[in-house]
Structure formats: C-alpha cells, structure tokens
Amino acid sequence: MAKVRTLFSFVRFLNLSVAKLRTVNIISADFQGETGVFSLCMSISLVMNDDTEHWLGVYQSDAAEEDEQEQERHIPPFCLRRATWETKKDCSLFRRATNKKEYVKEKGAIEGRIMFGTPELYSEIGPLMEELEQLVRQGIALQPIEGTEFLWNRVRVDIRREISFSLEYSFNQGRNAPLEVLVERWYTSFSRIDVAGGIIPDTGCFISYSFPIEDVLERF
C-alpha cells in the first residue's frame, strides 16, 4: 500500500506542476488605482531535450474590448507570462522531500515572470501572434521530417481568440517545419524580454487557474 500511495502522490505532484505551469488563465493587477483583468489568448509550450519545459503566454486586457472613449490608458492592453519548469530537478527534490505536501505548496522548480506592456514596448509580439493565427487558419499537417535539429522535442500551441485551437505533438509523431520555425522565433523573442521592464503595477498582480489547485493540495 505504501508504494501505491507514493505513486498516487507522485502523479498528483506532476499534475499540479503542469497545472501551475500551463493553466494560469487570468491575471489581474492595479494600475494607478484601476484594476486591469487580462485573459489568456495565446500560448506556446516547449519541452526541451533535457525535459525542461518553457511556457510562453500572451494575455489580453478585457478593457481592450471596451469603447475607446471609456478606456483609461492606465491599464496596459496586454501582458506576457514566461514560465519554466525544471522537470528533472523538481522530480528529484520532490522524491527527497520529507513533507511532500509542504514542498508542493511552498516550493517547486517552476519559475515564472509576468510583464505588462504595450505593442510599442514589445513590438515583436503582435506580429508573432498574427503569424501564428494565420498559420493555423491555413492548416497544420504533421509530416515525417529528418535532418533538422531543434532544442526541444515536444510542442503545444493554444489559441483563444476569434478562433479556438489546440495542438500538442512530439517529434516522433511528425513535424511541421513552418510551425517549428515560428515557435523558435517565439522562444527567442520571449527570451530577450527584460523581465524588469514594462509597465509596473501598483502592488504586484494576482493569478487565477483553470485547474482546481487548492482542492488537489488539500487532498495531497
């Protein structure tokens, strides 16, 4: 029974880690006393060859859909979230932790950064989003491709805009060269972003998950 409990504990740990990385669907923050709410509209997840996972997300301000005459430009039109999960390190530390619930709740090897800004501050992001949506509208087919080396071995794309789209595949299932070239440009662009820059909120920010993280933690 102890082995079964250990296995269940490890599976829950993995599920929670993936949820913390991928399921932040709303971010809110105050700017000069006004609250801005930002909803996830596009994301890319990359699992590297060393099993480290990078998650890159763009969130659009709900105020961007309102009448411009009613908008106060204190609230940025969008925010970016860049998160990294050092999977192997996290799994090793979890297995060695004496209090696994405390480790999952208070620690873990997921590092995230959130940056608020405008199209002028992050000029590469808008065109990358448009290119990705255009590629999806044209259709993405996986084909066997050899001889091209990438730093990652699995990719996931999610879009929640005028179109809703989700695709996840590993390179042993097939390849799509145009998508992977664009994904590499996303990764490079997000890697260059100054995490200390952008528009700074009044007192930090709050995040909401689409996964019931607190409930799972209570049952841990």
Side-chain angles (χ1 to χ4, degrees), residues 2 36 42 56-57 89 150 157 160 220:
M42 194 172 290
L56 317 170
K89 175 183 176 181
F150 282 87
V157 175
R160 306 177 187 177
F220 210 90

Side-chain angles (χ1 to χ4, degrees), residues 36 38 53 59 76 104 108 111 137 144 148 158 179 186 195 211 217:
F38 303 80
E53 183 169 354
Y59 297 74
V104 172
E111 180 181 347
R137 290 182 183 277
T148 304
D158 287 285
L179 174 62
W186 269 66
V195 297
F211 183 86
L217 276 173

Side-chain angles (χ1 to χ4, degrees), residues 44 46 152 155 157 179-188:
I44 287 178
L46 307 171
W152 61 87
V155 62
V157 175
L179 174 62
E180 288 154 22
V181 169
L182 183 55
V183 165
E184 186 171 20
R185 289 172 55 205
W186 269 66
Y187 177 69
T188 300

